[in-house]
Amino acid sequence: MDAPIPRPYSGPADLRRMQDLVSRVWSHAAHWHIGDLAWQRSQHAGREAEWRTALWEDGGAVAAWAWMFGGEELFLVVDPARPELADAALAWSARTADDPARMTVTVLDREAHLIAALDRAGLVRAPDPVHAVYMRRGLADLPEVEVPEGFRVRAVRGVHEAAARAQVHQAAWRPSRVTADSFREVMAAWPYRADLDLVAEAPDGSFAASCLIWFDERTGVGELEPVGTDPRWRRRGLARAVCLAALHALRGAGGTEAVVYPVVGIERAAAAAPLYTSLGFTPYARSLTYTPRPDSGRGGDDR
Ligand SMILES: CC(C)(COP(=O)(O)OP(=O)(O)OC[C@H]1O[C@@H](n2cnc3c(N)ncnc32)[C@H](O)[C@@H]1OP(=O)(O)O)[C@@H](O)C(=O)NCCC(=O)NCCS
């Protein structure tokens, strides 16, 4: 059989098709949630020129996609029922990377069909002290929200709050490339819902902490991405309060489970995993990084 031919990304309708695949194949063995695509492609709006994205289609639906971020960092989602498309995506990445020998591929440790393809293409696991831990929590037994005195926890009211919303994100994640404009893009992305975007308002009216949940109605699973507290207001229980309020809102919207992926190994996110553990999340998977074998001189199988 001929190798399946990909086509390039051609605009926002394709993003939705890529999300449809992510939702259709979502499980606890999946690296991507629809919220990841919405957040990661919208928060850096304007950087599209740095990205290369290819889609493999089958009967009008996307069956696989590959996204080369920044020329060397590959992400891919492949329908586990079509494992041969993982080979095609890795071959595409070897043709597409700026320098295939320096390419990295990030997958989840439970993505057996992708790991098998990485093995076939001759890529090997790289040391990855920085990686994501995948955590989950059911919503049946949520504690009540306790809001620290003087603060108010509420949902974002609409796009007119994009600048204030971006500001609390920037404070928590400094240095951050998120701007008021890119946050407007986030708010316009499917499936953003302001009622699942919770903030803690400080006594002066500014936002002190925030938690955004992306809800996939098809799976019942909401993803927390991102969460942050302005450094001036940390260790007062504000992240706990906004996250719990967001989890209650998720349950109210029909959600049954929440997932979150704290990154371990970087100083500025060191508090993330302890926060989610304290909220009752438990780990179920982790990300892995693959690279071409040091002596291979290139990445993947360049068929
Ligand atoms: C992680 C973060 C959101 C926590 O915000 P916060 O408002 O200070 O957290 P809270 O005060 O609500 O803490 C709730 C619990 O989380 C845990 N926790 C929070 N910060 C912690 C830290 N620095 N070290 C260890 N545990 C911590 C504790 O169990 C804490 O309860 P306790 O204070 O009663 O011990 C904040 O540190 C932050 O914005 N970090 C940078 C961005 C980030 O990592 N976001 C999460 C990414 S997925």
Side-chain angles (χ1 to χ4, degrees), residues 133-240:
V133 176
Y134 277 49
M135 303 179 84
R136 63 197 271 199
R137 191 200 198 291
L139 303 180
D141 60 339
L142 292 177
E144 287 308 310
V145 182
E146 286 177 31
V147 181
E149 206 180 323
F151 290 82
R152 190 153 64 119
V153 169
R154 64 167 176 86
V156 165
R157 298 198 176 108
V159 74
H160 63 282
E161 294 195 312
R165 184 62 186 81
Q167 203 163 29
V168 63
H169 178 85
Q170 289 161 356
W173 287 98
R174 189 161 288 127
S176 162
R177 294 175 74 159
V178 170
T179 61
D181 280 345
S182 68
F183 215 92
R184 271 181 214 105
E185 298 275 345
V186 169
M187 291 169 139
W190 181 82
Y192 177 86
R193 290 171 53 153
D195 63 331
L196 298 180
D197 191 5
L198 275 287
V199 289
E201 218 182 272
D204 67 1
S206 65
F207 294 168
S210 61
C211 172
L212 169 56
I213 293 188
W214 299 93
F215 180 31
D216 185 345
E217 292 188 32
R218 189 192 316 222
T219 60
V221 177
E223 182 202 5
L224 284 69
E225 173 74 321
V227 172
T229 300
D230 184 319
R232 292 176 297 160
W233 303 113
R234 286 194 183 155
R235 289 315 280 269
R236 294 168 186 244
L238 289 173
R240 158 177 289 275

Side-chain angles (χ1 to χ4, degrees), residues 25-91:
V25 302
W26 189 88
S27 73
H28 290 114
H31 184 191
W32 285 75
H33 181 276
I34 53 172
D36 294 312
L37 267 178
W39 171 250
Q40 294 194 29
R41 290 188 77 105
S42 316
Q43 65 157 325
H44 298 307
R47 294 178 67 186
E48 289 81 355
E50 298 169 34
W51 304 338
R52 285 145 234 173
T53 308
L55 286 67
W56 286 260
E57 293 184 317
D58 188 10
V62 173
W65 55 256
W67 176 17
M68 185 70 74
F69 184 89
E72 282 169 3
E73 206 177 340
L74 178 72
F75 302 110
L76 71 168
V77 170
V78 175
D79 184 342
R82 299 288 312 276
E84 76 283 5
L85 294 181
D87 300 305
L90 291 175

Side-chain angles (χ1 to χ4, degrees), residues 9 45 53 89 103 105 118 159 196 202 204 217 263 266 273 279 292 303:
Y9 179 84
T53 308
M103 184 177 77
V105 188
L118 288 162
V159 74
L196 298 180
D204 67 1
E217 292 188 32
V263 174
I266 53 171
L279 286 169
R303 270 171 292 178

